[in-house]
Amino acid sequence: MTEKSIFEKIEEHKKNGSNILIPMTEIEHSDFHVPVIDSVTLTPATDAYKRQEDKFALSFGGLNKLGVCAGVQWHPHETRRTDDGRDKLYISFRAVGGVKKADGSMVWHAANYDLDLEIIKEELEEIHAANARKYKKDQAYIDFCVARDWRQKRRHKHALAESGAKARVLRSLLGVKNLYSMSELQKPFVVVRYVFRPPMNDPYVRRQLVDAAMSSMTGIYGPNTALPHFRAPEEEYIDIPPDTDNGDESPAGVDVDPPPDTTTEAAEPPPEAPAAPIDEQMWSSATKSEKQAEIRRLARVTGYDLPGFENRAGALNKLGEAKVNGLFKSLCDLYEKQQEGK
């Protein structure tokens, strides 16, 4: 989608009365990021709540829908609870969220939210006391309602603090208004976000994306997952043996060995004997180079994809002792299973 079409789409939404979030005045060009327009229609009954007469505010559920469309990302380390947890009636939460700009950089915003259950209990007492006077209820009714609502707040205090902090971040990042009328809520909310789109016609870029996807699978399912090993373009080569049957004469002054005698077929070298792994005592007393040699030997015997493992976890001579021991144990288990299947 080009720059001109983006502005044309936004103008169309403005004419239709849509709610435009993250207003744009200028689009910076980027070779790897393209703008995308998303629109979502909220449900006033669940995504908003009444604040004033004929005025509604967006709930955290509605704000979260808009945040998903805008591609809001939450910082994995800074979005967390900030108090020490010793006070059971108090909790503070910090949320840090960001959106991607046209040049691929992130714009971050932080917000804090404090939840004091003692103050909330006082507010609940005032609210239910006013309702009791309005509907002519006694003190028992007030105590029951306060205990019921306060128990609900205490049970979900962490979720309330987290949603409160994230709601503040979403309102700031998306430019959401404080109040909307019912007619405004029923119109679409339009969000402009930017997605990463590298040149897919480049084979090296495609291979790097595949490697990144494989690495993410390794992080989820563990390093023992058998994944294909891809080489970079500069590593690819084809070993072509010399042609000795073309009948060409050798250049002058160059001695050429006579072709091998093909009357008797050369015997192939015998395959490597599947020797059993060394025992634990020998393994513990072996040097680092001896352990590496034993692992490479077991990989050849069992057919394990050692180059693929090194591509995912790192070179064998740079791995820590714990990873080397774990790889050796896995190869021993694989060897025993293969021997049991014979």
Side-chain angles (χ1 to χ4, degrees):
M1 187 176 294
T2 62
E3 179 179 349
K4 182 179 179 181
S5 63
I6 281 284
F7 281 110
E8 289 177 349
K9 290 289 185 180
I10 292 177
E11 291 299 326
E12 291 178 1
H13 283 290
K14 286 182 178 179
K15 293 179 181 179
N16 296 332
S18 301
N19 301 288
I20 308 297
L21 304 181
I22 313 180
M24 296 188 315
T25 58
E26 183 180 357
I27 296 180
E28 303 173 6
H29 294 281
S30 174
D31 296 333
F32 296 96
H33 296 85
V34 295
V36 176
I37 293 182
D38 283 342
S39 63
V40 59
T41 302
L42 301 180
T43 304
T46 57
D47 298 330
Y49 58 94
K50 192 172 184 180
R51 286 286 301 273
Q52 298 177 4
E53 190 67 26
D54 298 332
K55 291 293 183 180
F56 299 84
L58 297 183
S59 64
F60 175 69
L63 291 171
N64 194 41
K65 289 181 180 179
L66 300 179
V68 171
C69 290
V72 174
Q73 300 179 20
W74 300 105
H75 198 287
H77 303 296
E78 296 297 329
T79 303
R80 56 185 176 84
R81 182 174 177 175
T82 55
D83 65 300
D84 54 13
R86 288 184 292 182
D87 190 349
K88 295 183 179 180
L89 299 181
Y90 174 80
I91 180 174
S92 63
F93 198 92
R94 175 180 175 86
V96 179
V99 292
K100 189 174 295 183
K101 293 176 60 178
D103 58 356
S105 61
M106 295 292 296
V107 177
W108 297 97
H109 183 78
N112 298 302
Y113 189 89
D114 298 327
L115 185 67
D116 193 334
L117 291 173
E118 291 182 352
I119 298 178
I120 289 179
K121 186 176 183 180
E122 296 176 359
E123 294 175 349
L124 292 175
E125 290 174 350
E126 295 176 358
I127 293 173
H128 290 298
N131 292 335
R133 290 191 298 269
K134 182 178 180 180
Y135 298 104
K136 298 180 180 180
K137 300 292 184 178
D138 56 4
Q139 185 63 35
Y141 170 81
I142 299 176
D143 296 340
F144 169 78
C145 293
V146 171
R148 177 197 60 191
D149 294 348
W150 196 48
R151 187 184 305 111
Q152 184 76 4
K153 298 288 186 182
R154 284 185 294 151
R155 181 181 295 115
H156 303 288
K157 62 179 180 180
H158 191 279
L160 291 174
E162 180 180 358
S163 61
K166 287 185 175 181
R168 290 179 177 179
V169 173
L170 291 172
R171 291 180 189 277
S172 300
L173 287 176
L174 304 181
V176 177
K177 297 192 302 183
N178 292 329
L179 297 176
Y180 289 89
S181 63
M182 179 57 69
S183 60
E184 290 176 330
L185 286 177
Q186 292 174 348
K187 294 179 180 179
F189 284 77
V190 179
V191 180
V192 179
R193 62 185 177 92
Y194 296 89
V195 297
F196 177 68
R197 187 174 297 174
M200 296 303 296
N201 56 349
D202 188 342
Y204 184 72
V205 172
R206 291 200 304 267
R207 182 159 298 174
Q208 291 296 321
L209 292 177
V210 172
D211 286 340
M214 293 300 182
S215 299
S216 63
M217 291 176 59
T218 304
I220 296 174
Y221 299 106
N224 292 330
T225 307
L227 300 176
H229 170 61
F230 294 96
R231 292 176 175 174
E234 60 270 11
E235 296 178 347
E236 295 181 353
Y237 60 91
I238 300 176
D239 188 10
I240 302 177
D243 189 0
T244 58
D245 298 331
N246 53 10
D248 295 339
E249 296 181 357
S250 60
V254 178
D255 294 333
V256 179
D257 294 335
D261 185 9
T262 57
T263 56
T264 59
E265 184 177 358
E268 297 182 357
E272 183 177 1
I278 60 177
D279 55 19
E280 295 181 0
Q281 183 177 1
M282 294 180 61
W283 173 261
S284 60
S285 61
T287 62
K288 185 175 181 180
S289 59
E290 292 174 346
K291 291 181 178 180
Q292 295 175 9
E294 176 64 9
I295 286 178
R296 297 190 186 281
R297 186 190 69 81
L298 285 177
R300 292 194 302 270
V301 171
T302 58
Y304 181 76
D305 184 16
L306 187 57
F309 174 85
E310 291 181 314
N311 183 52
R312 300 187 303 271
L316 186 59
N317 57 358
K318 296 182 180 180
L319 295 179
E321 184 178 358
K323 288 189 177 181
V324 172
N325 294 337
L327 178 59
F328 174 74
K329 185 178 183 305
S330 300
L331 290 173
C332 292
D333 295 341
L334 179 60
Y335 176 85
E336 293 178 0
K337 289 181 181 180
Q338 293 179 352
Q339 294 303 313
E340 290 175 359
K342 293 183 178 181

PDB file of all heavy atoms in Angstrom, residues 96-117:
ATOM      1  N   VAL A  96       4.575  -1.074  30.671  1.00  0.00           N
ATOM      2  CA  VAL A  96       5.357  -0.372  29.648  1.00  0.00           C
ATOM      3  C   VAL A  96       4.987  -0.976  28.296  1.00  0.00           C
ATOM      4  O   VAL A  96       5.266  -2.155  28.038  1.00  0.00           O
ATOM      5  CB  VAL A  96       6.877  -0.494  29.898  1.00  0.00           C
ATOM      6  CG1 VAL A  96       7.652   0.236  28.807  1.00  0.00           C
ATOM      7  CG2 VAL A  96       7.245   0.046  31.267  1.00  0.00           C
ATOM      8  N   GLY A  97       4.340  -0.182  27.460  1.00  0.00           N
ATOM      9  CA  GLY A  97       3.923  -0.648  26.140  1.00  0.00           C
ATOM     10  C   GLY A  97       4.463   0.252  25.049  1.00  0.00           C
ATOM     11  O   GLY A  97       4.810   1.417  25.292  1.00  0.00           O
ATOM     12  N   GLY A  98       4.542  -0.289  23.838  1.00  0.00           N
ATOM     13  CA  GLY A  98       5.091   0.475  22.721  1.00  0.00           C
ATOM     14  C   GLY A  98       4.428   0.123  21.413  1.00  0.00           C
ATOM     15  O   GLY A  98       3.874  -0.967  21.246  1.00  0.00           O
ATOM     16  N   VAL A  99       4.471   1.055  20.485  1.00  0.00           N
ATOM     17  CA  VAL A  99       3.994   0.843  19.118  1.00  0.00           C
ATOM     18  C   VAL A  99       5.135   1.158  18.166  1.00  0.00           C
ATOM     19  O   VAL A  99       6.046   1.936  18.478  1.00  0.00           O
ATOM     20  CB  VAL A  99       2.763   1.721  18.797  1.00  0.00           C
ATOM     21  CG1 VAL A  99       1.560   1.275  19.589  1.00  0.00           C
ATOM     22  CG2 VAL A  99       3.059   3.188  19.051  1.00  0.00           C
ATOM     23  N   LYS A 100       5.057   0.578  16.980  1.00  0.00           N
ATOM     24  CA  LYS A 100       6.127   0.714  15.987  1.00  0.00           C
ATOM     25  C   LYS A 100       5.849   1.904  15.086  1.00  0.00           C
ATOM     26  O   LYS A 100       4.729   2.088  14.604  1.00  0.00           O
ATOM     27  CB  LYS A 100       6.234  -0.565  15.180  1.00  0.00           C
ATOM     28  CG  LYS A 100       7.428  -0.642  14.259  1.00  0.00           C
ATOM     29  CD  LYS A 100       7.514  -2.015  13.623  1.00  0.00           C
ATOM     30  CE  LYS A 100       7.768  -3.077  14.662  1.00  0.00           C
ATOM     31  NZ  LYS A 100       7.936  -4.419  14.058  1.00  0.00           N
ATOM     32  N   LYS A 101       6.890   2.706  14.868  1.00  0.00           N
ATOM     33  CA  LYS A 101       6.787   3.840  13.961  1.00  0.00           C
ATOM     34  C   LYS A 101       7.041   3.385  12.525  1.00  0.00           C
ATOM     35  O   LYS A 101       7.346   2.229  12.260  1.00  0.00           O
ATOM     36  CB  LYS A 101       7.798   4.915  14.368  1.00  0.00           C
ATOM     37  CG  LYS A 101       7.516   5.584  15.698  1.00  0.00           C
ATOM     38  CD  LYS A 101       8.615   6.554  16.070  1.00  0.00           C
ATOM     39  CE  LYS A 101       8.781   7.636  15.042  1.00  0.00           C
ATOM     40  NZ  LYS A 101       9.824   8.622  15.416  1.00  0.00           N
ATOM     41  N   ALA A 102       6.927   4.354  11.608  1.00  0.00           N
ATOM     42  CA  ALA A 102       7.089   4.017  10.190  1.00  0.00           C
ATOM     43  C   ALA A 102       8.502   3.588   9.859  1.00  0.00           C
ATOM     44  O   ALA A 102       8.715   2.810   8.922  1.00  0.00           O
ATOM     45  CB  ALA A 102       6.696   5.222   9.325  1.00  0.00           C
ATOM     46  N   ASP A 103       9.498   4.076  10.615  1.00  0.00           N
ATOM     47  CA  ASP A 103      10.878   3.693  10.336  1.00  0.00           C
ATOM     48  C   ASP A 103      11.290   2.416  11.059  1.00  0.00           C
ATOM     49  O   ASP A 103      12.456   2.021  11.012  1.00  0.00           O
ATOM     50  CB  ASP A 103      11.831   4.826  10.722  1.00  0.00           C
ATOM     51  CG  ASP A 103      11.704   5.210  12.191  1.00  0.00           C
ATOM     52  OD1 ASP A 103      10.824   4.651  12.873  1.00  0.00           O
ATOM     53  OD2 ASP A 103      12.475   6.068  12.652  1.00  0.00           O
ATOM     54  N   GLY A 104      10.357   1.755  11.757  1.00  0.00           N
ATOM     55  CA  GLY A 104      10.656   0.508  12.452  1.00  0.00           C
ATOM     56  C   GLY A 104      11.026   0.677  13.903  1.00  0.00           C
ATOM     57  O   GLY A 104      11.121  -0.323  14.624  1.00  0.00           O
ATOM     58  N   SER A 105      11.260   1.904  14.377  1.00  0.00           N
ATOM     59  CA  SER A 105      11.602   2.109  15.784  1.00  0.00           C
ATOM     60  C   SER A 105      10.346   2.042  16.651  1.00  0.00           C
ATOM     61  O   SER A 105       9.220   2.226  16.168  1.00  0.00           O
ATOM     62  CB  SER A 105      12.300   3.464  15.959  1.00  0.00           C
ATOM     63  OG  SER A 105      11.439   4.525  15.567  1.00  0.00           O
ATOM     64  N   MET A 106      10.553   1.788  17.947  1.00  0.00           N
ATOM     65  CA  MET A 106       9.454   1.643  18.892  1.00  0.00           C
ATOM     66  C   MET A 106       9.299   2.920  19.712  1.00  0.00           C
ATOM     67  O   MET A 106      10.283   3.546  20.110  1.00  0.00           O
ATOM     68  CB  MET A 106       9.697   0.461  19.822  1.00  0.00           C
ATOM     69  CG  MET A 106       9.704  -0.897  19.135  1.00  0.00           C
ATOM     70  SD  MET A 106       8.073  -1.363  18.509  1.00  0.00           S
ATOM     71  CE  MET A 106       7.145  -1.487  20.046  1.00  0.00           C
ATOM     72  N   VAL A 107       8.054   3.299  19.951  1.00  0.00           N
ATOM     73  CA  VAL A 107       7.725   4.402  20.850  1.00  0.00           C
ATOM     74  C   VAL A 107       7.119   3.794  22.108  1.00  0.00           C
ATOM     75  O   VAL A 107       6.057   3.159  22.065  1.00  0.00           O
ATOM     76  CB  VAL A 107       6.741   5.390  20.189  1.00  0.00           C
ATOM     77  CG1 VAL A 107       6.355   6.492  21.168  1.00  0.00           C
ATOM     78  CG2 VAL A 107       7.348   5.996  18.940  1.00  0.00           C
ATOM     79  N   TRP A 108       7.797   3.976  23.252  1.00  0.00           N
ATOM     80  CA  TRP A 108       7.383   3.350  24.505  1.00  0.00           C
ATOM     81  C   TRP A 108       6.708   4.372  25.411  1.00  0.00           C
ATOM     82  O   TRP A 108       7.029   5.560  25.384  1.00  0.00           O
ATOM     83  CB  TRP A 108       8.595   2.746  25.233  1.00  0.00           C
ATOM     84  CG  TRP A 108       9.272   1.661  24.478  1.00  0.00           C
ATOM     85  CD1 TRP A 108      10.384   1.781  23.695  1.00  0.00           C
ATOM     86  CD2 TRP A 108       8.881   0.287  24.408  1.00  0.00           C
ATOM     87  NE1 TRP A 108      10.717   0.570  23.144  1.00  0.00           N
ATOM     88  CE2 TRP A 108       9.810  -0.370  23.567  1.00  0.00           C
ATOM     89  CE3 TRP A 108       7.848  -0.453  24.983  1.00  0.00           C
ATOM     90  CZ2 TRP A 108       9.740  -1.718  23.284  1.00  0.00           C
ATOM     91  CZ3 TRP A 108       7.768  -1.801  24.700  1.00  0.00           C
ATOM     92  CH2 TRP A 108       8.699  -2.422  23.854  1.00  0.00           C
ATOM     93  N   HIS A 109       5.758   3.869  26.200  1.00  0.00           N
ATOM     94  CA  HIS A 109       5.096   4.700  27.202  1.00  0.00           C
ATOM     95  C   HIS A 109       4.879   3.847  28.443  1.00  0.00           C
ATOM     96  O   HIS A 109       4.516   2.666  28.349  1.00  0.00           O
ATOM     97  CB  HIS A 109       3.758   5.228  26.686  1.00  0.00           C
ATOM     98  CG  HIS A 109       3.076   6.148  27.649  1.00  0.00           C
ATOM     99  ND1 HIS A 109       3.444   7.459  27.816  1.00  0.00           N
ATOM    100  CD2 HIS A 109       2.050   5.925  28.515  1.00  0.00           C
ATOM    101  CE1 HIS A 109       2.672   8.018  28.739  1.00  0.00           C
ATOM    102  NE2 HIS A 109       1.825   7.106  29.185  1.00  0.00           N
ATOM    103  N   ALA A 110       5.105   4.448  29.616  1.00  0.00           N
ATOM    104  CA  ALA A 110       4.959   3.737  30.886  1.00  0.00           C
ATOM    105  C   ALA A 110       3.864   4.381  31.723  1.00  0.00           C
ATOM    106  O   ALA A 110       3.626   5.598  31.640  1.00  0.00           O
ATOM    107  CB  ALA A 110       6.286   3.734  31.651  1.00  0.00           C
ATOM    108  N   ALA A 111       3.198   3.568  32.542  1.00  0.00           N
ATOM    109  CA  ALA A 111       2.160   4.055  33.454  1.00  0.00           C
ATOM    110  C   ALA A 111       2.123   3.152  34.677  1.00  0.00           C
ATOM    111  O   ALA A 111       2.386   1.942  34.581  1.00  0.00           O
ATOM    112  CB  ALA A 111       0.799   4.085  32.767  1.00  0.00           C
ATOM    113  N   ASN A 112       1.802   3.728  35.830  1.00  0.00           N
ATOM    114  CA  ASN A 112       1.692   3.000  37.083  1.00  0.00           C
ATOM    115  C   ASN A 112       0.251   3.042  37.578  1.00  0.00           C
ATOM    116  O   ASN A 112      -0.497   3.997  37.298  1.00  0.00           O
ATOM    117  CB  ASN A 112       2.626   3.595  38.153  1.00  0.00           C
ATOM    118  CG  ASN A 112       4.077   3.509  37.743  1.00  0.00           C
ATOM    119  OD1 ASN A 112       4.593   2.422  37.487  1.00  0.00           O
ATOM    120  ND2 ASN A 112       4.755   4.638  37.655  1.00  0.00           N
ATOM    121  N   TYR A 113      -0.113   2.016  38.323  1.00  0.00           N
ATOM    122  CA  TYR A 113      -1.466   1.944  38.890  1.00  0.00           C
ATOM    123  C   TYR A 113      -1.366   1.380  40.297  1.00  0.00           C
ATOM    124  O   TYR A 113      -0.762   0.318  40.507  1.00  0.00           O
ATOM    125  CB  TYR A 113      -2.359   1.050  38.025  1.00  0.00           C
ATOM    126  CG  TYR A 113      -3.825   1.089  38.414  1.00  0.00           C
ATOM    127  CD1 TYR A 113      -4.679   2.035  37.861  1.00  0.00           C
ATOM    128  CD2 TYR A 113      -4.343   0.173  39.329  1.00  0.00           C
ATOM    129  CE1 TYR A 113      -6.017   2.078  38.209  1.00  0.00           C
ATOM    130  CE2 TYR A 113      -5.683   0.213  39.675  1.00  0.00           C
ATOM    131  CZ  TYR A 113      -6.515   1.166  39.118  1.00  0.00           C
ATOM    132  OH  TYR A 113      -7.836   1.204  39.459  1.00  0.00           O
ATOM    133  N   ASP A 114      -1.939   2.104  41.277  1.00  0.00           N
ATOM    134  CA  ASP A 114      -1.952   1.684  42.672  1.00  0.00           C
ATOM    135  C   ASP A 114      -3.359   1.252  43.055  1.00  0.00           C
ATOM    136  O   ASP A 114      -4.335   1.967  42.778  1.00  0.00           O
ATOM    137  CB  ASP A 114      -1.493   2.822  43.585  1.00  0.00           C
ATOM    138  CG  ASP A 114      -0.057   3.241  43.301  1.00  0.00           C
ATOM    139  OD1 ASP A 114       0.720   2.347  42.924  1.00  0.00           O
ATOM    140  OD2 ASP A 114       0.258   4.428  43.430  1.00  0.00           O
ATOM    141  N   LEU A 115      -3.449   0.100  43.700  1.00  0.00           N
ATOM    142  CA  LEU A 115      -4.738  -0.429  44.150  1.00  0.00           C
ATOM    143  C   LEU A 115      -4.681  -0.603  45.666  1.00  0.00           C
ATOM    144  O   LEU A 115      -3.990  -1.495  46.171  1.00  0.00           O
ATOM    145  CB  LEU A 115      -5.024  -1.772  43.464  1.00  0.00           C
ATOM    146  CG  LEU A 115      -6.395  -2.386  43.741  1.00  0.00           C
ATOM    147  CD1 LEU A 115      -7.492  -1.531  43.127  1.00  0.00           C
ATOM    148  CD2 LEU A 115      -6.478  -3.799  43.182  1.00  0.00           C
ATOM    149  N   ASP A 116      -5.385   0.282  46.386  1.00  0.00           N
ATOM    150  CA  ASP A 116      -5.448   0.243  47.846  1.00  0.00           C
ATOM    151  C   ASP A 116      -6.828  -0.261  48.238  1.00  0.00           C
ATOM    152  O   ASP A 116      -7.837   0.452  48.086  1.00  0.00           O
ATOM    153  CB  ASP A 116      -5.182   1.627  48.431  1.00  0.00           C
ATOM    154  CG  ASP A 116      -4.919   1.577  49.923  1.00  0.00           C
ATOM    155  OD1 ASP A 116      -5.404   0.627  50.567  1.00  0.00           O
ATOM    156  OD2 ASP A 116      -4.242   2.483  50.445  1.00  0.00           O
ATOM    157  N   LEU A 117      -6.898  -1.481  48.741  1.00  0.00           N
ATOM    158  CA  LEU A 117      -8.184  -2.091  49.049  1.00  0.00           C
ATOM    159  C   LEU A 117      -8.863  -1.447  50.257  1.00  0.00           C
ATOM    160  O   LEU A 117     -10.083  -1.545  50.392  1.00  0.00           O
ATOM    161  CB  LEU A 117      -7.993  -3.593  49.285  1.00  0.00           C
ATOM    162  CG  LEU A 117      -7.631  -4.402  48.035  1.00  0.00           C
ATOM    163  CD1 LEU A 117      -7.301  -5.835  48.400  1.00  0.00           C
ATOM    164  CD2 LEU A 117      -8.764  -4.365  47.023  1.00  0.00           C
TER     165      LEU A 117
END
